[in-house]
């Protein structure tokens, strides 16, 4: 087990919070999302202590997000979107078409859900074909492959999914959709980071913890795991991301020295 102290002394809550903001894909993936909410999300991505790495939204909002980010003077904030989301069961041709449209609309990054149910049943072929096909479309733009670690559950399956994604060209491996009961966990993070190390792929493949990271302390724990394996210099947006919606408010409160408010509104 990688100790949290591996990141000391830089893992003080305020330092972890500041760093996590710059590594965040600020996310809104709600069924009732609308233009005004996405515009507000883009505004929130520009914070007093630095911008988030990206906003992550449904494909239909990609063009709007791009225009909003440019208009507010933050074109460097990336636009990420999701495909085959959240269930991971769409047909290959449909997912490739969805990806192609998202890229034409201006998406910088694609977060792809693999067919994890097939993988869990022992069939790797659909996942391999999907990752390979989407990466061919993305070219230099980032492909983040969501393995849904909380549903795969077993470390051996999480490792197998991670290795498969890396082998087929993923730029990132990502824990979760945030739409299942168990999302990012320290155990899954350790397994996925170890898979990157096993392949010697740390110079070309990153990691994204999505769902379940709710405080600066938790963010610091994930940063510590990655730094212990790959060094502090690996903790940049090209290699490490958090996917979250409510986390930003917690991090800003930590930096400002306020008591963070829980996601449910309690203290």
């Amino acid at each position: 087990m990688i100790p949290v102290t591996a990141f000391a002394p830089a893992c003080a809550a305020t330092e972890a919070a500041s760093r996590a903001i710059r590594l965040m894909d600020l996310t809104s993936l709600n069924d009732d999302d609308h233009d005004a909410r996405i515009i507000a999300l883009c505004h929130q991505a520009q914070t007093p202590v630095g911008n988030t790495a990206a906003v992550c939204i449904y494909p239909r909002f990609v063009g709007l997000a791009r225009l909003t980010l440019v208009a507010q003077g933050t074109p460097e904030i990336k636009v990420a979107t999701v495909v085959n989301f959240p269930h991971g069961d769409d047909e290959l041709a449909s997912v490739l078409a969805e990806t192609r449209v998202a890229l034409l609309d201006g998406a910088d990054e694609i977060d792809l859900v693999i067919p994890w149910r097939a993988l869990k049943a022992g069939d790797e072929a659909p996942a391999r074909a999907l990752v390979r096909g989407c990466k061919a479309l993305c070219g230099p733009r980032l492909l983040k492959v969501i393995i849904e670690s909380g549903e795969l559950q077993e470390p051996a399956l999480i490792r197998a999914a991670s290795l498969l994604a890396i082998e087929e060209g993923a730029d990132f491996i990502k824990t979760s959709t945030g739409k299942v009961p168990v999302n990012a966990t320290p155990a899954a993070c350790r397994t996925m980071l170890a898979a990157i190390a096993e392949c010697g792929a740390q110079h070309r493949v990153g990691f994204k913890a999505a769902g379940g990271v709710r405080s600066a302390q938790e963010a610091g724990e994930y940063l510590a795991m990655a730094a212990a394996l790959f060094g502090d210099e690996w903790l940049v947006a090209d290699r490490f991301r958090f996917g979250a919606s409510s986390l930003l408010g917690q991090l800003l409160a930590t930096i400002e020295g306020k008591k963070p408010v829980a996601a449910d509104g309690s203290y």
Side-chain angles (χ1 to χ4, degrees):
M1 179 175 179
I2 300 169
V4 172
T5 52
F7 193 51
C11 66
T14 53
E15 170 61 21
S18 180
R19 179 166 284 188
I21 286 173
R22 298 190 296 273
L23 301 177
M24 183 183 297
D25 290 358
L26 184 61
T27 301
S28 187
L29 293 168
N30 306 297
D31 291 340
D32 62 350
D33 278 344
H34 49 77
D35 286 4
R37 182 179 291 166
I38 301 308
I39 291 169
L41 186 82
C42 292
H43 293 333
Q44 292 161 12
Q46 184 179 29
T47 88
V49 295
N51 299 337
T52 68
V55 294
C56 185
I57 39 86
Y58 277 120
R60 66 184 182 274
F61 297 114
V62 165
L64 174 63
R66 169 60 60 213
L67 289 172
T68 303
L69 292 170
V70 170
Q72 73 181 18
T74 58
E76 71 279 6
I77 298 175
K78 305 298 185 184
V79 176
T81 194
V82 292
V83 297
N84 203 23
F85 187 93
H87 45 74
D89 291 334
D90 286 344
E91 294 294 329
L92 175 62
S94 175
V95 180
L96 295 180
E98 185 180 28
T99 301
R100 189 177 293 107
V101 170
L103 293 169
L104 288 172
D105 285 346
D108 299 297
E109 304 175 358
I110 299 293
D111 288 31
L112 163 73
V113 184
I114 61 168
W116 56 267
R117 292 178 182 83
L119 184 62
K120 198 170 181 179
D123 185 4
E124 291 188 352
R128 288 191 178 277
L130 195 53
V131 176
R132 190 184 314 123
C134 284
K135 183 54 190 172
L137 291 174
C138 287
R141 285 179 275 191
L142 289 186
L143 176 65
K144 306 192 205 90
V145 175
I146 304 169
I147 67 167
E148 205 69 286
S149 56
E151 294 295 304
L152 293 178
Q153 299 179 331
E154 296 295 328
L157 277 175
I158 294 171
R159 173 182 172 273
S162 299
L163 293 175
L164 176 157
I166 293 167
E167 290 164 5
E168 298 300 341
D171 299 297
F172 269 72
I173 51 175
K174 173 179 170 181
T175 57
S176 322
T177 59
K179 301 293 187 180
V180 294
V182 177
N183 293 287
T185 65
C189 175
R190 282 191 290 270
T191 299
M192 295 172 71
L193 289 170
I196 294 172
E198 180 181 338
C199 294
Q202 61 268 27
H203 300 299
R204 66 175 182 85
V205 178
F207 169 78
K208 178 175 173 179
V213 185
R214 296 187 175 88
S215 70
Q217 180 179 349
E218 291 177 353
E221 292 173 359
Y222 284 92
L223 293 171
M225 292 180 204
L229 271 179
F230 304 130
D232 187 69
E233 64 277 6
W234 202 74
L235 303 179
V236 294
D238 286 344
R239 291 290 173 264
F240 194 102
R241 299 283 183 90
F242 292 104
S245 51
S246 62
L247 178 62
L248 180 60
Q250 312 301 302
L251 298 179
L252 289 172
T254 298
I255 292 168
E256 294 167 3
K258 299 176 182 178
K259 188 172 183 180
V261 180
D264 63 0
S266 62
Y267 287 87

